[in-house]
Amino acid sequence: MNAIRVLIADDEPLVRGGLSLIVNAADDLTVIAQAASGPEALAQTDRTQPDVVLLDIQMPGSDGIAVTRHLHARPHTPRIVIVTTFGLDTYLHQALDAGADGFILKDAPAELIQQAIRSAHRGDAVLSPQMTRTLIHRYTSLPTPDPAPPAGYDQLTAREREVLTLLAQAHSNAEIATQLYISEATVKTHITRILMKLGLRDRAQAIVLAHRHGLDRPT
């Protein structure tokens, strides 16, 4: 099996070095390039074509949000995981809207960082429970949600709407399975169909959309 190719972009040499050691310690992961600024991250992505980019939210030249937007405007977009701290939670929704696949904390355990890279590579959202709660708090504190259903919502089955509501409440697949008396495999199938019908990329985008349209409560 080919190793997942990772680019690390952070303006702090110690952070880059620490993340590099963590990534390379896993047999199925390998660091192929590093970058110390936004422009360098874009140039290195073009040069090396990584599978996953670990991207600092604040860097000279262009911040992580701008870099994410630039990468999504290109033909072959890598998976993008923002490396952040709780002090920067205000950037969470902006980065998700820009196309980030998730977030990890700079001080997260090595195993969690490695697993986050694998999850992003599979196409799963990488969002810790703490980040999910932050995201939900932000959207529930906004003015009245848009009452109009999002495009594609009428294509969802009754069960898929139940799953979407539980997703928006930050439940895990296992918790959803327990509440609906179905298997986790079935939950994953429902989520895949929900994302396809709503034109979403991942779980994080589904949470954002559900709260924007008031779909976080049972109908």
Side-chain angles (χ1 to χ4, degrees):
M1 181 180 68
N2 293 331
I4 299 171
R5 304 165 71 251
V6 181
L7 185 153
I8 297 173
D10 194 293
D11 62 338
E12 293 289 341
L14 287 177
V15 174
R16 290 198 308 274
L19 289 173
S20 181
L21 288 173
I22 289 171
V23 173
N24 285 329
D27 292 339
D28 59 335
L29 309 175
T30 183
V31 175
I32 59 168
Q34 297 186 25
S37 68
E40 187 179 0
L42 293 172
Q44 290 282 39
T45 299
D46 285 341
R47 185 180 67 83
T48 63
Q49 297 293 303
D51 299 311
V52 178
V53 176
L54 295 184
L55 185 62
D56 186 15
I57 198 75
Q58 290 188 325
M59 290 186 297
S62 297
D63 64 20
I65 294 170
V67 171
T68 299
R69 289 198 183 99
H70 281 298
L71 290 177
H72 269 276
R74 301 182 178 193
H76 304 291
T77 305
R79 297 292 178 179
I80 301 167
V81 178
I82 299 293
V83 182
T84 186
T85 65
F86 281 121
L88 298 173
D89 284 345
T90 52
Y91 293 100
L92 179 59
H93 73 293
Q94 297 178 46
L96 290 175
D97 284 344
D101 296 288
F103 289 76
I104 56 173
L105 300 177
K106 289 188 177 182
D107 59 354
E111 295 79 6
L112 290 182
I113 292 174
Q114 293 166 352
Q115 189 55 49
I117 295 169
R118 297 183 187 106
S119 296
H121 185 247
R122 289 196 304 266
D124 296 333
V126 180
L127 209 59
S128 70
Q130 297 96 324
M131 291 291 185
T132 301
R133 285 193 291 271
T134 297
L135 185 66
I136 288 174
H137 174 75
R138 182 174 186 85
Y139 279 95
T140 53
S141 65
L142 292 176
T144 304
D146 183 350
Y153 186 72
D154 59 345
Q155 299 178 33
L156 299 184
T157 65
R159 178 63 89 191
E160 288 165 354
R161 293 182 185 190
E162 288 180 312
V163 171
L164 178 60
T165 295
L166 292 173
L167 268 183
Q169 295 170 358
H171 290 293
S172 67
N173 287 1
E175 291 168 339
I176 294 173
T178 298
Q179 290 203 37
L180 298 181
Y181 301 100
I182 57 180
S183 70
E184 285 191 57
T186 300
V187 173
K188 291 180 181 179
T189 298
H190 284 315
I191 292 174
T192 297
R193 290 174 178 167
I194 289 167
L195 298 179
M196 179 184 65
K197 291 178 181 179
L198 297 181
L200 303 174
R201 187 182 61 256
D202 54 39
R203 189 187 199 97
Q205 284 195 336
I207 292 173
V208 171
L209 180 136
H211 282 277
R212 281 178 174 167
H213 292 270
L215 303 176
D216 53 313
R217 306 173 189 86
T219 56

